[in-house]
């Protein structure tokens, strides 16, 4: 994958820009995920005729891992610098988990860039459960390193059905997570993004100017009420619930990836069925 230096951000980013479609989909990753986390979506999006940009956020993979803490606004600014350097103008923006917070920040800061917005497994602000959980992850990371944190994360990312029926795929996902290049300090810097994010006062603006917004939520995601509430205050928004846990784009897209007419990008019924 190529690296690009962004002087305005004093940052080098690892990215992949694939395809030659007339419209571009930009994919923003979750906490501690590198661009390979989209491996089940990119081929389907390319086959549907899109150009696809994926990349490692600051703090993970082959991108620089400068000291934190980071914010969603900071990572949105990184994304803006990246798309500008690559000559990507108006595009569909898809964000999952922390990437959904980056996507919200980007859409609020640069609304004219966005053709459509997909927010998957994310929220406008963490509730009391997530606040406690993220504090636990921070303590685990500091005291035991990231291997144990990643094992704990996997336990709440997928449903019981997945654990009973898809052992081999789970092991693939878990092994891939353990192989992601990230220091403890960089993990904590990214964790600060999801701990401190709060767009509740502005979430209603995301669907402004006729922009279409799709909110994807796993029915068994512990934070799904917060996601659904965000969708309810958006104009021009759709809410699609799958039978998944937190992660709707892994282990496998059960009914295949698809795109929806009208500028939405979606994955239909996803993992966990």
């Amino acid at each position: 994958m190529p690296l690009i230096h962004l002087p305005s951000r004093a940052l080098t980013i690892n990215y992949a820009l694939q395809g030659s479609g007339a419209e571009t989909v930009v994919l923003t990753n979750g906490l501690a995920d590198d661009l390979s986390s989209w491996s089940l979506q990119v081929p389907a999006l390319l086959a549907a005729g899109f150009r696809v940009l994926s990349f490692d956020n600051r703090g993970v993979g082959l991108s620089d891992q400068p000291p934190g803490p980071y914010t969603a606004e900071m990572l949105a600014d990184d994304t803006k610098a990246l798309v500008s350097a690559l000559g990507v103008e108006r595009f569909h923006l898809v964000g999952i988990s922390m990437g959904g917070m980056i996507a919200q920040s980007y859409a609020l800061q640069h609304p004219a860039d966005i053709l459509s917005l997909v927010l998957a497994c994310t929220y406008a602000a963490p509730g009391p459960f997530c606040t406690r959980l993220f504090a636990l992850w921070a303590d685990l990371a500091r005291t035991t390193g990231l291997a144990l944190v990643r094992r704990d994360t996997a336990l709440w990312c997928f449903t019981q059905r997945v654990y009973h029926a898809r052992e081999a795929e789970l092991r693939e996902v878990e092994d891939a997570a353990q192989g992601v290049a990230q220091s403890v300090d960089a993990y904590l810097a990214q964790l600060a993004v999801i701990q401190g994010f709060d767009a509740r006062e502005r979430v209603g603006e995301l669907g402004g100017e006729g922009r279409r917004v799709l909110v994807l939520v796993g029915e068994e995601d512990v934070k799904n009420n917060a996601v659904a509430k965000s969708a309810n205050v958006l104009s021009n928004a759709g809410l699609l619930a799958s039978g998944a846990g937190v992660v709707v784009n892994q282990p496998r897209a059960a009914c295949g990836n698809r795109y929806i007419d009208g500028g939405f990008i979606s994955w239909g019924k996803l993992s966990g069925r």
Side-chain angles (χ1 to χ4, degrees), residues 6-269:
L6 306 173
S8 65
R9 307 298 297 155
L11 187 71
T12 297
I13 290 287
N14 178 51
Y15 74 95
L17 182 59
Q18 303 175 70
S20 56
E23 295 186 355
T24 302
V25 178
V26 177
L27 304 172
T28 54
N29 318 328
L31 170 69
D33 285 336
D34 62 13
L35 57 76
S36 69
S37 64
W38 297 104
S39 62
L40 300 178
Q41 282 69 57
V42 170
L45 291 168
L46 292 173
F50 293 100
R51 186 169 63 157
V52 181
L53 173 62
S54 56
F55 60 97
D56 297 340
N57 288 311
R58 89 165 49 210
V60 75
L62 299 179
S63 292
D64 287 346
Q65 301 186 21
Y70 308 156
T71 65
E73 292 77 15
M74 178 189 295
L75 272 64
D77 287 342
D78 294 343
T79 306
K80 176 63 174 176
L82 176 62
V83 297
S84 296
L86 296 175
V88 177
E89 296 180 349
R90 302 196 71 208
F91 52 87
H92 304 281
L93 182 58
V94 182
I96 188 166
S97 194
M98 182 185 78
M101 300 168 212
I102 299 168
Q104 289 176 69
S105 295
Y106 191 106
L108 291 170
Q109 294 178 63
H110 310 287
D113 291 358
I114 307 301
L115 291 171
S116 70
L117 184 64
V118 178
L119 305 174
C121 319
T122 192
Y123 51 60
F129 175 88
C130 287
T131 298
R132 286 168 173 77
L133 180 67
F134 301 155
L136 171 64
W137 288 352
D139 290 343
L140 284 173
R142 293 186 184 102
T143 57
T144 69
L146 296 184
L148 193 59
V149 176
R150 287 167 174 158
R151 287 176 58 194
D152 178 78
T153 302
L155 291 172
W156 75 291
C157 278
F158 305 109
T159 66
Q160 291 284 340
R161 291 184 298 279
V162 171
Y163 277 94
H164 282 292
R166 300 162 82 167
E167 177 68 21
E169 294 168 64
L170 277 169
R171 288 195 177 278
E172 286 181 20
V173 172
E174 290 169 342
D175 290 347
Q178 294 293 355
V180 171
Q182 187 173 46
S183 68
V184 169
D185 286 345
Y187 172 83
L188 294 171
Q190 283 199 341
L191 185 64
V193 174
I194 65 175
Q195 289 176 304
F197 184 71
D198 190 342
R200 287 174 293 183
E201 295 298 319
R202 299 192 64 193
V203 68
E205 300 173 33
L206 294 172
E209 301 179 3
R211 186 180 307 106
R212 295 197 169 190
V213 182
L214 180 63
V215 177
L216 296 178
V217 57
E219 290 170 329
E220 297 186 33
D221 186 344
V222 294
K223 62 183 183 299
N224 67 355
N225 287 336
V227 179
K229 286 177 182 177
S230 297
N232 289 338
V233 299
L234 288 169
S235 60
N236 305 307
L239 175 65
L240 176 62
S242 81
V246 174
V247 182
V248 298
N249 65 328
Q250 296 179 18
R252 296 245 192 264
C255 295
N257 298 333
R258 70 182 185 192
Y259 68 96
I260 295 177
D261 290 340
F264 288 134
I265 314 301
S266 176
W267 306 293
K269 292 182 180 178

